[in-house]
């Protein structure tokens, strides 16, 4: 069974840092891009960023609201991805989800798309003094 | 950045009703659009990708259509378990983005 499990969330003061993890199992982690998405309480989904595979030089891309403050990394030997969050602000309080991007075939278009097909349950980060 | 506008933001419908949710992109995203369902306290679940391809295991009452800037998610016969919030997401251009969501309530 494919699983993603986030951990490491908690309470942190404004200006502080936190590193959360996404441990995966049931698939070839090294062959998949991994995304992070967050959701503030009662709000919608916000895409944070993604990390590609070794074949794609572990390239990362970030959303504007976290660029320069958040860093995504991965350890393929441990099937784990990480989200390092620095200079945290109260508006970063949210549930943080990791999600796998898989090649899924479209017969209509005759090629693969890469939607977020499996998600973890999320870990809660609260930024407050 | 590409903005996605969903409508309506809320809808209340009866079992067996036909439900339609729309998603409009601020610029063309070709067919790089996905739909997700999220229930309270749970992670989102992929329903449709490539604008119209049903993810494995998703009931056939769900369907998607559209290309470019205008997309639709249709539930042909609403079931009690279909309550929740539905989000569209564009995967054409980074940064990726989600629509604001449509909350579906069963009357």
């Amino acid at each position: 069974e494919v699983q993603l499990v986030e951990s490491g969330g908690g309470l942190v003061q404004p200006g502080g840092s936190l590193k959360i993890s996404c441990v995966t199992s049931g698939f070839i982690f090294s062959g998949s891009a991994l995304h992070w998405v967050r959701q503030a309480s009662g709000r919608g989904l916000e895409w944070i960023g993604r990390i590609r595979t070794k074949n794609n030089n572990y390239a990362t891309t970030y959303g504007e609201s976290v660029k320069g403050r958040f860093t995504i990394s991965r350890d393929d030997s441990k099937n784990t991805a990480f989200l390092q969050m620095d200079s945290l602000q109260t508006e970063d309080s949210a549930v943080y989800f990791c999600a796998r991007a898989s090649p899924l075939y479209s017969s209509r278009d005759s090629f693969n798309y890469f939607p977020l097909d499996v998600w973890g349950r999320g870990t809660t980060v609260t930024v407050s003094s | 950045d590409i903005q996605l506008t969903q409508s309506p933001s809320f809808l209340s419908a009866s079992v067996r009703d036909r439900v339609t949710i729309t998603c409009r992109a601020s610029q063309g995203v070709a067919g790089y659009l996905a739909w997700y369902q999220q229930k309270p306290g749970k992670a989102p679940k992929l329903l449709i990708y490539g604008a119209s391809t049903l993810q494995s295991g998703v009931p056939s009452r769900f369907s998607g259509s559209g290309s470019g800037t205008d997309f639709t998610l249709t539930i042909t016969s609403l079931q009690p378990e279909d309550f929740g919030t539905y989000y569209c997401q564009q995967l054409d251009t980074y940064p990726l983005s989600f629509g604001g969501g449509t909350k579906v309530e069963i009357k």
Side-chain angles (χ1 to χ4, degrees):
Chain A
E1 180 191 5
V2 174
Q3 282 194 317
L4 292 80
V5 179
E6 304 89 340
S7 64
L11 176 64
V12 61
Q13 292 190 335
S17 297
L18 193 66
K19 188 174 185 176
I20 59 179
S21 303
C22 173
V23 177
T24 73
S25 59
F27 66 102
I28 302 174
F29 176 74
S30 60
S32 295
L34 199 289
H35 294 243
W36 288 93
V37 175
R38 71 183 178 183
Q39 185 171 38
S41 181
R43 306 294 295 274
L45 302 172
E46 179 186 9
W47 182 80
I48 294 174
R50 69 98 197 254
I51 186 165
R52 300 186 72 180
T53 63
K54 181 179 181 180
N55 283 352
N56 293 288
N57 299 314
Y58 299 123
T60 54
T61 311
Y62 300 95
E64 285 300 319
S65 65
V66 305
K67 195 178 294 184
R69 300 189 299 123
F70 288 14
T71 303
I72 300 172
S73 61
R74 62 191 294 161
D75 183 340
D76 289 347
S77 69
K78 296 182 178 178
N79 296 329
T80 301
F82 304 96
L83 178 64
Q84 173 70 45
M85 301 179 285
D86 299 319
S87 302
L88 282 162
Q89 305 161 5
T90 54
E91 52 266 36
D92 295 316
S93 296
V95 176
Y96 285 73
F97 298 99
C98 59
R100 178 185 77 168
S102 279
L104 297 180
Y105 186 71
S106 165
S107 57
R108 182 192 79 166
D109 300 323
S110 301
F111 66 78
N112 289 327
Y113 288 95
F114 289 81
L116 308 186
D117 70 326
V118 182
W119 297 59
R121 292 185 174 184
T123 187
T124 300
V125 174
T126 303
V127 184
S128 175
S129 54
Chain B
D1 297 3
I2 296 176
Q3 317 300 322
L4 297 179
T5 303
Q6 282 184 238
S7 62
S9 56
F10 173 84
L11 72 87
S12 181
S14 301
V15 172
R16 290 183 295 279
D17 278 355
R18 181 184 182 92
V19 167
T20 299
I21 299 169
T22 64
C23 176
R24 174 163 288 176
S26 58
Q27 61 191 75
V29 298
Y32 292 89
L33 191 104
W35 289 95
Y36 302 86
Q37 175 197 62
Q38 186 181 33
K39 296 191 176 182
K42 302 293 186 182
K45 172 188 173 184
L46 176 66
L47 298 176
I48 287 170
Y49 62 92
S52 61
T53 302
L54 202 64
Q55 168 67 332
S56 176
V58 174
S60 59
R61 62 181 179 273
F62 291 91
S63 64
S65 64
S67 182
T69 60
D70 294 298
F71 301 87
T72 300
L73 172 70
T74 300
I75 310 173
T76 53
S77 178
L78 191 68
Q79 297 300 301
E81 61 267 30
D82 297 336
F83 74 93
T85 303
Y86 292 79
Y87 295 93
C88 57
Q89 182 197 25
Q90 66 84 15
L91 298 110
D92 177 72
T93 302
Y94 282 87
L96 304 186
S97 49
F98 290 92
T102 297
K103 186 173 182 179
V104 175
E105 173 192 272
I106 310 296
K107 281 183 185 175

